[in-house]
Amino acid sequence: MGSEEDSAVKEPLDLIRLSLDERIYVKFRHDRELRGKLHAYDQHLNMILGDVEEIITTMEIDDETYEEIVRTTRRTVPFLFVRGDGVILVSPPLRTAI
Amino acid sequence: MKFSPALVEGGTVLLLFFSYFKDLVGREVTVELKNDLAIRGTLHSVDQYLNIKLENTRVVDQDKYPHMSIIMKIDYVHACGVCIDLSVRNCFIRGSVVRYVQLPPEGVDVELLHDATRREARGG
């Protein structure tokens, strides 16, 4: 693992730096998830994502049968600024073998 | 597209998104608020708190939330942090009520964003 720049991983935000220009998964408040390419972020976890898919999950309970109906709503946005105060976690979308 | 000098220095002033939004002034954006209201307009100005001023604003009509459109027709300040001047459709949005801002994809140098982010991250 070369270090062309100062790429030592010292603190959690450095882990996110490793994902710059990569696709990431973001868990967001109010049962929302985002998947997109990370173009920029800051210490507040404000982010700019490209080619973003937003997935909103809602759960309804049927009045009679009491079964839980899980619905997901999806939409795509080409380029999105995300305010950091809604972010819960940031992760690579999938682990692939190196 | 240039970022402010304060950003490029060692990293004591970390205002990457403030600089980015300043470069976007004059472009059309859609601001989605935490109360699900979406407002489209021309970016007039922004500050370090990412408070946003829009011109030529209109509500992105989502039939899901017709009551939100009605709130938008009320003059002046109300609790959700959006103040609208109906005579010229200008609008001030408090930064903390923003959930997303849909940005114009054209004319954005993503490499510049990546470099600025790496520099900013290093300063922390």
Side-chain angles (χ1 to χ4, degrees), chain B residues 87-108:
Chain B
S87 59
V88 290
R89 305 206 91 92
N90 292 340
C91 162
F92 171 86
I93 303 173
R94 196 181 199 280
S96 61
V97 308
V98 172
R99 181 189 292 141
Y100 305 133
V101 180
Q102 295 175 32
L103 305 165
E106 331 75 40
V108 175

Side-chain angles (χ1 to χ4, degrees), chain B residues 109-124:
Chain B
D109 187 342
V110 293
E111 284 306 317
L112 211 61
L113 274 178
H114 298 163
D115 291 341
T117 302
R118 287 193 195 99
R119 276 197 293 271
E120 171 140 338
R122 194 184 311 156

Side-chain angles (χ1 to χ4, degrees), chain A residues 85-97:
Chain A
D85 56 14
V87 173
I88 295 175
L89 72 83
V90 178
S91 131
L94 283 172
R95 296 301 296 170
T96 56

Side-chain angles (χ1 to χ4, degrees), chain A residues 5-6 11 14 17 20-21 28 30 32 34 38-43 46-48 54 75 77-83 85, chain B residues 14 16-17 20-21 32 34 36 49-50 95-96 98-105 108 110 113-114 117-118 120-122 124:
Chain A
E5 46 186 16
D6 183 14
E11 48 177 48
D14 295 332
R17 178 155 44 88
L20 259 183
D21 204 28
F28 210 73
H30 310 299
R32 291 165 189 255
L34 297 166
L38 180 64
H39 290 304
Y41 71 94
D42 68 6
Q43 71 275 26
N46 296 324
M47 290 185 276
I48 290 185
E54 182 199 32
R75 63 169 170 164
V77 181
F79 212 63
L80 191 71
F81 165 81
V82 178
R83 194 173 162 90
D85 56 14
Chain B
L14 306 181
L16 185 153
F17 290 101
Y20 172 76
F21 278 115
E32 183 174 327
K34 292 190 161 81
D36 289 333
Y49 305 108
L50 305 185
S96 61
V98 172
R99 181 189 292 141
Y100 305 133
V101 180
Q102 295 175 32
L103 305 165
V108 175
V110 293
L113 274 178
H114 298 163
T117 302
R118 287 193 195 99
E120 171 140 338
R122 194 184 311 156

Side-chain angles (χ1 to χ4, degrees), chain A:
Chain A
M1 277 186 269
S3 51
E4 306 83 24
E5 46 186 16
D6 183 14
S7 55
V9 175
K10 292 198 184 91
E11 48 177 48
L13 284 180
D14 295 332
L15 281 176
I16 301 182
R17 178 155 44 88
L18 300 178
S19 295
L20 259 183
D21 204 28
E22 305 283 343
R23 292 198 70 81
I24 55 165
Y25 163 81
V26 181
K27 191 181 192 358
F28 210 73
R29 293 185 72 188
H30 310 299
D31 301 309
R32 291 165 189 255
E33 299 160 292
L34 297 166
R35 286 171 200 272
K37 192 176 227 207
L38 180 64
H39 290 304
Y41 71 94
D42 68 6
Q43 71 275 26
H44 304 296
L45 262 41
N46 296 324
M47 290 185 276
I48 290 185
L49 301 175
D51 293 322
V52 189
E53 185 189 28
E54 182 199 32
I55 303 168
I56 308 170
T57 304
T58 54
M59 190 150 62
E60 296 162 21
I61 301 186
D62 190 300
D63 287 335
E64 292 157 27
T65 68
Y66 293 103
E67 69 177 300
E68 296 171 353
I69 309 164
V70 179
R71 272 186 241 280
T72 59
T73 313
R74 287 166 200 257
R75 63 169 170 164
T76 53
V77 181
F79 212 63
L80 191 71
F81 165 81
V82 178
R83 194 173 162 90
D85 56 14
V87 173
I88 295 175
L89 72 83
V90 178
S91 131
L94 283 172
R95 296 301 296 170
T96 56
I98 296 171

Side-chain angles (χ1 to χ4, degrees), chain B:
Chain B
M1 185 169 86
K2 299 192 328 183
F3 289 100
S4 73
L7 175 65
V8 178
E9 301 305 318
T12 47
V13 180
L14 306 181
L15 294 173
L16 185 153
F17 290 101
F18 175 38
S19 296
Y20 172 76
F21 278 115
K22 278 201 291 190
D23 288 332
L24 276 188
V25 165
R27 309 291 299 273
E28 280 274 294
V29 295
T30 301
V31 180
E32 183 174 327
L33 306 184
K34 292 190 161 81
N35 65 2
D36 289 333
L37 194 54
I39 305 172
R40 186 155 184 83
T42 311
L43 185 64
H44 173 269
S45 60
V46 69
D47 67 12
Q48 55 170 320
Y49 305 108
L50 305 185
N51 296 326
I52 291 170
K53 277 194 184 171
L54 296 179
E55 292 180 323
N56 305 314
T57 60
R58 52 261 182 222
V59 176
V60 174
D61 218 356
Q62 301 184 22
D63 298 318
K64 260 172 98 180
Y65 306 106
H67 57 289
M68 291 299 182
S69 297
I70 293 168
I71 288 175
M72 291 288 288
K73 290 180 169 56
I74 297 174
D75 290 310
Y76 310 123
V77 184
H78 53 88
C80 79
V82 178
C83 172
I84 302 180
D85 176 355
L86 283 181
S87 59
V88 290
R89 305 206 91 92
N90 292 340
C91 162
F92 171 86
I93 303 173
R94 196 181 199 280
S96 61
V97 308
V98 172
R99 181 189 292 141
Y100 305 133
V101 180
Q102 295 175 32
L103 305 165
E106 331 75 40
V108 175
D109 187 342
V110 293
E111 284 306 317
L112 211 61
L113 274 178
H114 298 163
D115 291 341
T117 302
R118 287 193 195 99
R119 276 197 293 271
E120 171 140 338
R122 194 184 311 156

